[in-house]
Amino acid sequence: MKEVVPQIYRRLLRLLRWRLWIIEKLRPSPWQEMLAYAAVAGILGALAALLFRHGVEIIHYVMTGTGSGMVDSFRELEWWQRLAIPAVGGLMAGLVLLFGKRLHRGQSSTDYMEAILIGSGELPVRATLVKSTAAMFSIASGGSIGREGPMVQLAAVAASQFGRWRQLSAPQLRLLVACGAASGIASAYNAPIAGSFFVAEIILGTIAMESLGPLAVAAVAATLTVRTLSDAHTLYTVPAFTLHSLWEIGPFLVLGAMAGVVAPWFLRSLRQAEQLFAATSLPVPLRLALGGLVVGGLAVWVPEVCGNGYSVVLAILNGHLIWQTLVLVLVCKWVATAASFGSGAPGGVFTPTLFMGAAMGYLFGFGVNQVWPQGAADPGAFALVGMGALLAAASHAPVMAIIMLFEMTLSYDIIMPLMVCSVVAYYTARGIENQSLYSEALKKKAAEAPEPVTLPGSVADLTRSPTSSVTLTARFEDIARQFLSSRHESIYVTDAEGKYAGLISLHDIKPHLNDEAVATLVIAEDLRRDDVPSVAPAATLADALRLFAQQAGQTLPVVDPATGRLTGVLVKNDLLLALLEGRGAEKRGATRSPWQGS
């Protein structure tokens, strides 16, 4: 038996030496770990988006008997099929939502924006699957709605589940859900930069590198995954556009102002349609069927209203539609989008907004060309700029809109007028109404919250339970086992009454690892350090940040000053993320961020 004990100690010492070497040479920092998690979230988000896309294609084939694009499919159908299929699809979507409530009874309907801004980062799986299935029927049957909404939600749920499995803190989980949302946008539009800025500018309200870095990694990982597993390509293949004359800048500025005026009215029409459908007091299935019937009635004469408008936008950008037809399509598409959105069809209005901008821009450019050819030599260029301008005005995110239009078209020459037009549109829309495409939904979610949610204001709000602690009399063997079973580089020491007495760093035991006799002689009292500052639970985040600046560690012990007891640990990564969230909330203050409480 005398030889067994030394063998155990030798093994522990050998393992500790390997652990210390890995930490010193290979151990990633918390931010590097977050980047790795973001990459995984991006891959999972892309897979979820691809599954949703294939589900829509299968349902569309079953309902129409063809695998062609949405508009082409409806052109091939009889008039009564054009009328009936959107209504049937709306009815099926409503039935899924109605009976799906039994599946997720007692589970919240939190969406990704709510989880990031006013939630803990946890997203419901069953409720999301039900809503996404309903969205498949709405989109596949020709509803005038985009597929980006469900794709982003599914990607965010995948990221949330992964983060919960990894037991991330609330700030880290919220950031990971944001990474999932970025991967969903990148997967939908093959635009990784725009996907990153969509979340950073619209949801987080900050483009600080601590948040933008993980968002970019997730979006790139998602885009690479989609390109590997599908035939993804530049979304809108358009002819090369050039600025023919400096005189064209004047009409582009006017177009920006027009987009800034049209966007608030477009959003108001969607909200009014929602109120009209709600006033009918119809059950959800019948309400969605009515919305589908409106779309189907318009599709009998104008099949271009079906779907998100992608193929029609391509036709506009390439000059394949005459202006008389485009006027009719624009009016009918506006009504169809309002009907789909107002009836409650699950989906997004991001792509329909691009359609409205392209049609409006082309018509304006064509009109200018007829009166003053030098002012608009190519109406197609005005269509492309109109897409970005209306999106910037509707979303209140001009940087994202500019980047997205560039990524979707890869047309560099259009950047200068696009930038000017989008900025003018944004400020014009803000001057008319301080409501964006997403602010209304966030306000509703904040109002439905059971109690006001506020930002962490003290250390206690971010404190984690201490995962590793030993008493002053703990033997070296016990300390070694704690280090081998913990991910942290420090172990906290308490006395017999549970009062904080210091900590032991993994680097502090390095001198003893080559001396086997230490295992039987040294106790925690001999190794502990009492020069590491502690922080009180009631201390402000600014106070904690100052303490972190005084030492190089990644954690601080949280000690109750009244009792001297160790109550938890504050992780530097959590603190920095919480401070970034606070900065983003301040920037969104003009629209009353849900973080602000009552």
Side-chain angles (χ1 to χ4, degrees):
M1 287 296 293
K2 292 182 179 180
E3 291 295 325
V4 176
V5 175
Q7 285 293 338
I8 294 176
Y9 286 142
R10 290 193 191 101
R11 190 175 305 159
L12 283 173
L13 294 174
R14 191 181 306 116
L15 290 173
L16 278 175
R17 284 194 292 268
W18 274 107
R19 170 93 189 272
L20 187 61
W21 183 87
I22 291 173
I23 288 175
E24 290 180 339
K25 304 296 183 181
L26 304 176
R27 176 68 180 269
S29 68
W31 292 111
Q32 291 170 328
E33 287 184 353
M34 195 66 216
L35 291 180
Y37 292 150
V40 175
I43 295 171
L44 293 176
L47 294 175
L50 287 172
L51 286 174
F52 179 82
R53 183 182 298 173
H54 288 311
V56 170
E57 292 172 354
I58 292 172
I59 296 175
H60 176 70
Y61 180 81
V62 171
M63 299 188 77
T64 63
T66 175
S68 304
M70 193 66 65
V71 174
D72 292 336
S73 297
F74 271 78
R75 283 176 179 155
E76 299 172 8
L77 299 175
E78 298 292 336
W79 71 268
W80 61 270
Q81 292 175 307
R82 298 183 188 179
L83 179 66
I85 288 177
V88 172
L91 179 63
M92 294 297 295
L95 291 174
V96 169
L97 291 175
L98 182 64
F99 291 105
K101 288 183 179 180
R102 301 179 181 178
L103 181 63
H104 62 84
R105 182 173 297 170
Q107 195 177 73
S108 70
S109 58
T110 305
D111 63 16
Y112 68 97
M113 287 192 181
E114 182 185 3
I116 297 169
L117 288 177
I118 60 177
S120 62
E122 297 183 5
L123 284 169
V125 177
R126 294 194 299 271
T128 296
L129 292 177
V130 168
K131 195 169 183 178
S132 298
T133 303
M136 286 184 185
F137 284 101
S138 293
I139 296 167
S141 61
S144 183
I145 206 83
R147 62 188 180 187
E148 72 282 347
M151 291 172 73
V152 174
Q153 177 72 10
L154 285 169
V157 167
S160 177
Q161 290 299 110
F162 173 68
R164 293 174 67 181
W165 174 64
R166 295 301 303 162
Q167 297 181 342
L168 299 183
S169 64
Q172 288 178 311
L173 187 57
R174 283 192 289 266
L175 179 57
L176 197 65
V177 171
C179 291
S183 71
I185 288 290
S187 301
Y189 295 103
N190 196 29
I193 306 176
S196 309
F197 274 86
F198 168 83
V199 177
E201 194 174 12
I202 294 178
I203 304 176
L204 297 181
T206 175
I207 56 173
M209 202 58 205
E210 288 83 358
S211 58
L212 185 59
L215 295 177
V217 168
V220 169
T223 304
L224 292 176
T225 302
V226 170
R227 290 181 180 180
T228 302
L229 299 179
S230 68
D231 57 346
H233 51 78
T234 301
L235 199 60
Y236 294 106
T237 304
V238 297
F241 293 130
T242 59
L243 193 65
H244 294 85
S245 169
L246 290 178
W247 292 109
E248 289 186 325
I249 292 296
F252 276 121
L253 291 173
V254 176
L255 176 60
M258 283 182 56
V261 172
V262 170
W265 285 102
F266 177 61
L267 298 180
R268 288 175 187 173
S269 69
L270 299 184
R271 293 194 293 266
Q272 290 172 356
E274 196 173 22
Q275 294 170 2
L276 287 174
F277 275 92
T280 62
S281 300
L282 291 172
V284 172
L286 295 181
R287 192 186 309 168
L288 266 69
L290 178 60
L293 191 63
V294 173
V295 175
L298 294 170
V300 171
W301 290 279
V302 188
E304 289 82 1
V305 303
C306 295
N308 58 18
Y310 168 70
S311 60
V312 184
V313 170
L314 275 180
I316 294 171
L317 294 176
N318 288 278
H320 295 162
L321 284 177
I322 61 175
W323 72 268
Q324 295 93 336
T325 301
L326 187 54
V327 170
L328 177 63
V329 172
L330 174 61
V331 173
C332 293
K333 184 65 175 180
W334 191 324
V335 175
T337 302
S340 294
F341 180 87
S343 65
V349 292
F350 205 92
T351 313
T353 301
L354 294 175
F355 174 95
M356 301 294 295
M360 180 194 69
Y362 185 89
L363 290 173
F364 174 78
F366 181 83
V368 173
N369 177 267
Q370 297 301 302
V371 177
W372 182 28
Q374 293 81 8
D378 187 353
F382 282 78
L384 182 57
V385 171
M387 293 169 66
L390 194 65
L391 181 60
S395 65
H396 288 189
V399 176
M400 179 275 300
I402 293 167
I403 293 174
M404 175 165 281
L405 263 294
F406 172 69
E407 279 194 291
M408 290 193 301
T409 62
L410 295 182
S411 178
Y412 179 79
D413 292 330
I414 208 68
I415 283 293
M416 185 167 63
L418 177 62
M419 291 175 65
V420 172
C421 198
S422 297
V423 170
V424 170
Y426 165 72
Y427 281 109
T428 303
R430 285 289 298 265
I432 296 174
E433 185 177 73
N434 201 21
Q435 296 288 334
S436 72
L437 197 60
Y438 303 101
S439 59
E440 191 69 21
L442 288 174
K443 281 188 175 181
K444 287 183 180 179
K445 290 293 184 180
E448 293 170 0
E451 56 186 40
V453 180
T454 57
L455 277 170
S458 65
V459 169
D461 300 325
L462 296 174
T463 300
R464 299 192 194 184
S465 300
T467 55
S468 303
S469 63
V470 294
T471 62
L472 287 169
T473 57
R475 296 182 303 166
F476 188 84
E477 178 186 358
D478 299 326
I479 298 171
R481 294 186 188 280
Q482 285 275 17
F483 271 120
L484 291 175
S485 62
S486 171
R487 297 178 64 250
H488 298 291
E489 299 177 21
S490 298
I491 292 177
Y492 295 106
V493 182
T494 61
D495 61 16
E497 299 177 355
K499 293 182 178 181
Y500 174 69
L503 63 80
I504 301 173
S505 170
L506 184 56
H507 294 279
D508 294 335
I509 67 173
K510 184 177 180 180
H512 306 290
L513 293 180
N514 294 320
D515 186 359
E516 296 179 7
V518 76
T520 57
L521 299 175
V522 175
I523 60 174
E525 172 71 29
D526 303 320
L527 298 171
R528 72 181 179 94
R529 296 171 50 191
D530 56 6
D531 58 342
V532 177
S534 62
V535 62
T540 65
L541 302 187
D543 292 335
L545 188 62
R546 281 191 289 269
L547 289 175
F548 270 118
Q550 298 172 13
Q551 54 100 34
Q554 295 296 320
T555 60
L556 281 178
V558 181
V559 179
D560 187 344
T563 63
R565 289 180 174 274
L566 179 70
T567 62
V569 58
L570 176 65
V571 180
K572 187 177 183 179
N573 196 26
D574 293 346
L575 174 64
L576 294 177
L577 289 176
L579 291 173
L580 283 175
E581 290 174 343
R583 190 192 310 172
E586 289 177 2
K587 290 184 178 180
R588 294 186 300 268
T591 56
R592 182 169 172 78
S593 164
W595 278 116
Q596 292 176 301
S598 56

PDB file of all heavy atoms in Angstrom, residues 103-127:
ATOM      1  N   LEU A 103     -48.887  21.947 -28.125  1.00  0.00           N
ATOM      2  CA  LEU A 103     -47.546  21.379 -28.072  1.00  0.00           C
ATOM      3  C   LEU A 103     -46.620  22.212 -27.201  1.00  0.00           C
ATOM      4  O   LEU A 103     -45.773  21.671 -26.486  1.00  0.00           O
ATOM      5  CB  LEU A 103     -46.968  21.273 -29.489  1.00  0.00           C
ATOM      6  CG  LEU A 103     -45.572  20.663 -29.623  1.00  0.00           C
ATOM      7  CD1 LEU A 103     -45.570  19.225 -29.154  1.00  0.00           C
ATOM      8  CD2 LEU A 103     -45.099  20.751 -31.071  1.00  0.00           C
ATOM      9  N   HIS A 104     -46.789  23.533 -27.250  1.00  0.00           N
ATOM     10  CA  HIS A 104     -45.896  24.384 -26.461  1.00  0.00           C
ATOM     11  C   HIS A 104     -46.648  25.112 -25.359  1.00  0.00           C
ATOM     12  O   HIS A 104     -46.275  26.217 -24.976  1.00  0.00           O
ATOM     13  CB  HIS A 104     -45.165  25.384 -27.363  1.00  0.00           C
ATOM     14  CG  HIS A 104     -46.067  26.350 -28.090  1.00  0.00           C
ATOM     15  ND1 HIS A 104     -46.530  27.503 -27.527  1.00  0.00           N
ATOM     16  CD2 HIS A 104     -46.577  26.317 -29.344  1.00  0.00           C
ATOM     17  CE1 HIS A 104     -47.277  28.159 -28.397  1.00  0.00           C
ATOM     18  NE2 HIS A 104     -47.322  27.464 -29.509  1.00  0.00           N
ATOM     19  N   ARG A 105     -47.708  24.484 -24.852  1.00  0.00           N
ATOM     20  CA  ARG A 105     -48.478  25.092 -23.761  1.00  0.00           C
ATOM     21  C   ARG A 105     -47.570  25.322 -22.548  1.00  0.00           C
ATOM     22  O   ARG A 105     -46.806  24.457 -22.142  1.00  0.00           O
ATOM     23  CB  ARG A 105     -49.646  24.188 -23.366  1.00  0.00           C
ATOM     24  CG  ARG A 105     -50.529  24.767 -22.271  1.00  0.00           C
ATOM     25  CD  ARG A 105     -51.743  23.898 -22.067  1.00  0.00           C
ATOM     26  NE  ARG A 105     -52.571  23.865 -23.274  1.00  0.00           N
ATOM     27  CZ  ARG A 105     -53.591  23.030 -23.449  1.00  0.00           C
ATOM     28  NH1 ARG A 105     -53.892  22.145 -22.512  1.00  0.00           N
ATOM     29  NH2 ARG A 105     -54.290  23.055 -24.575  1.00  0.00           N
ATOM     30  N   GLY A 106     -47.654  26.513 -22.005  1.00  0.00           N
ATOM     31  CA  GLY A 106     -46.818  26.869 -20.872  1.00  0.00           C
ATOM     32  C   GLY A 106     -45.449  27.366 -21.263  1.00  0.00           C
ATOM     33  O   GLY A 106     -44.655  27.761 -20.414  1.00  0.00           O
ATOM     34  N   GLN A 107     -45.152  27.354 -22.566  1.00  0.00           N
ATOM     35  CA  GLN A 107     -43.855  27.826 -23.045  1.00  0.00           C
ATOM     36  C   GLN A 107     -44.048  29.186 -23.690  1.00  0.00           C
ATOM     37  O   GLN A 107     -45.012  29.404 -24.419  1.00  0.00           O
ATOM     38  CB  GLN A 107     -43.278  26.827 -24.070  1.00  0.00           C
ATOM     39  CG  GLN A 107     -41.810  27.028 -24.363  1.00  0.00           C
ATOM     40  CD  GLN A 107     -41.296  25.965 -25.330  1.00  0.00           C
ATOM     41  OE1 GLN A 107     -41.597  25.976 -26.519  1.00  0.00           O
ATOM     42  NE2 GLN A 107     -40.519  25.022 -24.807  1.00  0.00           N
ATOM     43  N   SER A 108     -43.142  30.105 -23.443  1.00  0.00           N
ATOM     44  CA  SER A 108     -43.270  31.462 -23.969  1.00  0.00           C
ATOM     45  C   SER A 108     -43.105  31.469 -25.481  1.00  0.00           C
ATOM     46  O   SER A 108     -42.633  30.514 -26.091  1.00  0.00           O
ATOM     47  CB  SER A 108     -42.219  32.381 -23.343  1.00  0.00           C
ATOM     48  OG  SER A 108     -40.932  32.035 -23.814  1.00  0.00           O
ATOM     49  N   SER A 109     -43.500  32.595 -26.108  1.00  0.00           N
ATOM     50  CA  SER A 109     -43.341  32.755 -27.553  1.00  0.00           C
ATOM     51  C   SER A 109     -42.212  33.735 -27.860  1.00  0.00           C
ATOM     52  O   SER A 109     -42.269  34.493 -28.821  1.00  0.00           O
ATOM     53  CB  SER A 109     -44.652  33.260 -28.171  1.00  0.00           C
ATOM     54  OG  SER A 109     -45.031  34.497 -27.578  1.00  0.00           O
ATOM     55  N   THR A 110     -41.195  33.731 -27.013  1.00  0.00           N
ATOM     56  CA  THR A 110     -40.090  34.670 -27.155  1.00  0.00           C
ATOM     57  C   THR A 110     -39.434  34.545 -28.526  1.00  0.00           C
ATOM     58  O   THR A 110     -39.156  33.439 -28.989  1.00  0.00           O
ATOM     59  CB  THR A 110     -39.031  34.396 -26.070  1.00  0.00           C
ATOM     60  OG1 THR A 110     -39.653  34.429 -24.798  1.00  0.00           O
ATOM     61  CG2 THR A 110     -37.941  35.452 -26.114  1.00  0.00           C
ATOM     62  N   ASP A 111     -39.189  35.691 -29.195  1.00  0.00           N
ATOM     63  CA  ASP A 111     -38.441  35.652 -30.435  1.00  0.00           C
ATOM     64  C   ASP A 111     -37.012  36.112 -30.169  1.00  0.00           C
ATOM     65  O   ASP A 111     -36.649  36.489 -29.056  1.00  0.00           O
ATOM     66  CB  ASP A 111     -39.114  36.486 -31.527  1.00  0.00           C
ATOM     67  CG  ASP A 111     -39.175  37.973 -31.181  1.00  0.00           C
ATOM     68  OD1 ASP A 111     -38.455  38.404 -30.269  1.00  0.00           O
ATOM     69  OD2 ASP A 111     -39.954  38.691 -31.823  1.00  0.00           O
ATOM     70  N   TYR A 112     -36.196  36.077 -31.209  1.00  0.00           N
ATOM     71  CA  TYR A 112     -34.768  36.313 -30.996  1.00  0.00           C
ATOM     72  C   TYR A 112     -34.470  37.740 -30.550  1.00  0.00           C
ATOM     73  O   TYR A 112     -33.565  37.966 -29.740  1.00  0.00           O
ATOM     74  CB  TYR A 112     -33.980  35.967 -32.266  1.00  0.00           C
ATOM     75  CG  TYR A 112     -34.220  36.877 -33.446  1.00  0.00           C
ATOM     76  CD1 TYR A 112     -33.359  37.930 -33.716  1.00  0.00           C
ATOM     77  CD2 TYR A 112     -35.284  36.665 -34.312  1.00  0.00           C
ATOM     78  CE1 TYR A 112     -33.570  38.767 -34.798  1.00  0.00           C
ATOM     79  CE2 TYR A 112     -35.498  37.484 -35.401  1.00  0.00           C
ATOM     80  CZ  TYR A 112     -34.638  38.527 -35.644  1.00  0.00           C
ATOM     81  OH  TYR A 112     -34.849  39.350 -36.719  1.00  0.00           O
ATOM     82  N   MET A 113     -35.217  38.719 -31.047  1.00  0.00           N
ATOM     83  CA  MET A 113     -34.970  40.101 -30.623  1.00  0.00           C
ATOM     84  C   MET A 113     -35.297  40.280 -29.143  1.00  0.00           C
ATOM     85  O   MET A 113     -34.568  40.942 -28.404  1.00  0.00           O
ATOM     86  CB  MET A 113     -35.805  41.069 -31.466  1.00  0.00           C
ATOM     87  CG  MET A 113     -35.303  41.240 -32.872  1.00  0.00           C
ATOM     88  SD  MET A 113     -36.096  42.632 -33.691  1.00  0.00           S
ATOM     89  CE  MET A 113     -35.322  42.520 -35.302  1.00  0.00           C
ATOM     90  N   GLU A 114     -36.389  39.688 -28.715  1.00  0.00           N
ATOM     91  CA  GLU A 114     -36.762  39.780 -27.308  1.00  0.00           C
ATOM     92  C   GLU A 114     -35.729  39.092 -26.429  1.00  0.00           C
ATOM     93  O   GLU A 114     -35.362  39.603 -25.367  1.00  0.00           O
ATOM     94  CB  GLU A 114     -38.134  39.143 -27.103  1.00  0.00           C
ATOM     95  CG  GLU A 114     -38.644  39.228 -25.674  1.00  0.00           C
ATOM     96  CD  GLU A 114     -39.944  38.482 -25.484  1.00  0.00           C
ATOM     97  OE1 GLU A 114     -40.420  37.861 -26.452  1.00  0.00           O
ATOM     98  OE2 GLU A 114     -40.474  38.511 -24.367  1.00  0.00           O
ATOM     99  N   ALA A 115     -35.240  37.930 -26.879  1.00  0.00           N
ATOM    100  CA  ALA A 115     -34.262  37.190 -26.084  1.00  0.00           C
ATOM    101  C   ALA A 115     -32.962  37.963 -25.933  1.00  0.00           C
ATOM    102  O   ALA A 115     -32.291  37.896 -24.904  1.00  0.00           O
ATOM    103  CB  ALA A 115     -33.984  35.834 -26.739  1.00  0.00           C
ATOM    104  N   ILE A 116     -32.597  38.746 -26.970  1.00  0.00           N
ATOM    105  CA  ILE A 116     -31.354  39.501 -26.921  1.00  0.00           C
ATOM    106  C   ILE A 116     -31.512  40.776 -26.101  1.00  0.00           C
ATOM    107  O   ILE A 116     -30.635  41.140 -25.309  1.00  0.00           O
ATOM    108  CB  ILE A 116     -30.884  39.848 -28.351  1.00  0.00           C
ATOM    109  CG1 ILE A 116     -30.571  38.566 -29.134  1.00  0.00           C
ATOM    110  CG2 ILE A 116     -29.660  40.761 -28.316  1.00  0.00           C
ATOM    111  CD1 ILE A 116     -30.357  38.785 -30.617  1.00  0.00           C
ATOM    112  N   LEU A 117     -32.648  41.448 -26.260  1.00  0.00           N
ATOM    113  CA  LEU A 117     -32.805  42.774 -25.670  1.00  0.00           C
ATOM    114  C   LEU A 117     -33.450  42.764 -24.293  1.00  0.00           C
ATOM    115  O   LEU A 117     -33.027  43.506 -23.400  1.00  0.00           O
ATOM    116  CB  LEU A 117     -33.638  43.660 -26.609  1.00  0.00           C
ATOM    117  CG  LEU A 117     -32.928  44.104 -27.897  1.00  0.00           C
ATOM    118  CD1 LEU A 117     -33.880  44.899 -28.758  1.00  0.00           C
ATOM    119  CD2 LEU A 117     -31.692  44.916 -27.584  1.00  0.00           C
ATOM    120  N   ILE A 118     -34.500  41.981 -24.113  1.00  0.00           N
ATOM    121  CA  ILE A 118     -35.225  42.038 -22.843  1.00  0.00           C
ATOM    122  C   ILE A 118     -35.368  40.670 -22.204  1.00  0.00           C
ATOM    123  O   ILE A 118     -36.187  40.482 -21.311  1.00  0.00           O
ATOM    124  CB  ILE A 118     -36.628  42.671 -23.040  1.00  0.00           C
ATOM    125  CG1 ILE A 118     -37.464  41.839 -24.028  1.00  0.00           C
ATOM    126  CG2 ILE A 118     -36.523  44.100 -23.512  1.00  0.00           C
ATOM    127  CD1 ILE A 118     -38.885  42.359 -24.217  1.00  0.00           C
ATOM    128  N   GLY A 119     -34.569  39.707 -22.659  1.00  0.00           N
ATOM    129  CA  GLY A 119     -34.669  38.366 -22.106  1.00  0.00           C
ATOM    130  C   GLY A 119     -33.318  37.869 -21.620  1.00  0.00           C
ATOM    131  O   GLY A 119     -32.340  38.602 -21.536  1.00  0.00           O
ATOM    132  N   SER A 120     -33.281  36.595 -21.311  1.00  0.00           N
ATOM    133  CA  SER A 120     -32.064  35.983 -20.772  1.00  0.00           C
ATOM    134  C   SER A 120     -31.232  35.303 -21.843  1.00  0.00           C
ATOM    135  O   SER A 120     -30.167  34.777 -21.555  1.00  0.00           O
ATOM    136  CB  SER A 120     -32.449  34.947 -19.713  1.00  0.00           C
ATOM    137  OG  SER A 120     -33.223  33.908 -20.300  1.00  0.00           O
ATOM    138  N   GLY A 121     -31.731  35.290 -23.084  1.00  0.00           N
ATOM    139  CA  GLY A 121     -31.043  34.578 -24.148  1.00  0.00           C
ATOM    140  C   GLY A 121     -31.587  33.192 -24.396  1.00  0.00           C
ATOM    141  O   GLY A 121     -31.167  32.513 -25.335  1.00  0.00           O
ATOM    142  N   GLU A 122     -32.532  32.765 -23.578  1.00  0.00           N
ATOM    143  CA  GLU A 122     -33.133  31.444 -23.758  1.00  0.00           C
ATOM    144  C   GLU A 122     -34.334  31.555 -24.690  1.00  0.00           C
ATOM    145  O   GLU A 122     -35.204  32.405 -24.502  1.00  0.00           O
ATOM    146  CB  GLU A 122     -33.558  30.861 -22.419  1.00  0.00           C
ATOM    147  CG  GLU A 122     -32.393  30.620 -21.462  1.00  0.00           C
ATOM    148  CD  GLU A 122     -32.836  29.975 -20.166  1.00  0.00           C
ATOM    149  OE1 GLU A 122     -34.033  29.644 -20.061  1.00  0.00           O
ATOM    150  OE2 GLU A 122     -31.995  29.803 -19.272  1.00  0.00           O
ATOM    151  N   LEU A 123     -34.385  30.691 -25.710  1.00  0.00           N
ATOM    152  CA  LEU A 123     -35.460  30.706 -26.697  1.00  0.00           C
ATOM    153  C   LEU A 123     -36.222  29.387 -26.656  1.00  0.00           C
ATOM    154  O   LEU A 123     -35.610  28.316 -26.530  1.00  0.00           O
ATOM    155  CB  LEU A 123     -34.889  30.928 -28.099  1.00  0.00           C
ATOM    156  CG  LEU A 123     -34.460  32.361 -28.422  1.00  0.00           C
ATOM    157  CD1 LEU A 123     -33.673  32.400 -29.727  1.00  0.00           C
ATOM    158  CD2 LEU A 123     -35.662  33.269 -28.523  1.00  0.00           C
ATOM    159  N   PRO A 124     -37.545  29.430 -26.779  1.00  0.00           N
ATOM    160  CA  PRO A 124     -38.332  28.199 -26.724  1.00  0.00           C
ATOM    161  C   PRO A 124     -38.222  27.405 -28.020  1.00  0.00           C
ATOM    162  O   PRO A 124     -38.385  27.971 -29.112  1.00  0.00           O
ATOM    163  CB  PRO A 124     -39.766  28.720 -26.519  1.00  0.00           C
ATOM    164  CG  PRO A 124     -39.757  30.073 -27.148  1.00  0.00           C
ATOM    165  CD  PRO A 124     -38.380  30.632 -26.932  1.00  0.00           C
ATOM    166  N   VAL A 125     -37.981  26.127 -27.924  1.00  0.00           N
ATOM    167  CA  VAL A 125     -37.795  25.291 -29.109  1.00  0.00           C
ATOM    168  C   VAL A 125     -39.136  24.921 -29.722  1.00  0.00           C
ATOM    169  O   VAL A 125     -39.362  25.098 -30.931  1.00  0.00           O
ATOM    170  CB  VAL A 125     -36.998  24.023 -28.751  1.00  0.00           C
ATOM    171  CG1 VAL A 125     -36.867  23.118 -29.973  1.00  0.00           C
ATOM    172  CG2 VAL A 125     -35.625  24.395 -28.224  1.00  0.00           C
ATOM    173  N   ARG A 126     -40.048  24.414 -28.917  1.00  0.00           N
ATOM    174  CA  ARG A 126     -41.314  23.928 -29.472  1.00  0.00           C
ATOM    175  C   ARG A 126     -42.125  25.056 -30.090  1.00  0.00           C
ATOM    176  O   ARG A 126     -42.697  24.901 -31.184  1.00  0.00           O
ATOM    177  CB  ARG A 126     -42.123  23.219 -28.378  1.00  0.00           C
ATOM    178  CG  ARG A 126     -41.481  21.937 -27.875  1.00  0.00           C
ATOM    179  CD  ARG A 126     -42.454  21.104 -27.059  1.00  0.00           C
ATOM    180  NE  ARG A 126     -42.921  21.817 -25.876  1.00  0.00           N
ATOM    181  CZ  ARG A 126     -42.318  21.795 -24.701  1.00  0.00           C
ATOM    182  NH1 ARG A 126     -41.197  21.100 -24.567  1.00  0.00           N
ATOM    183  NH2 ARG A 126     -42.817  22.442 -23.664  1.00  0.00           N
ATOM    184  N   ALA A 127     -42.193  26.195 -29.413  1.00  0.00           N
ATOM    185  CA  ALA A 127     -42.948  27.326 -29.957  1.00  0.00           C
ATOM    186  C   ALA A 127     -42.342  27.804 -31.274  1.00  0.00           C
ATOM    187  O   ALA A 127     -43.060  28.159 -32.216  1.00  0.00           O
ATOM    188  CB  ALA A 127     -42.986  28.475 -28.946  1.00  0.00           C
TER     189      ALA A 127
END
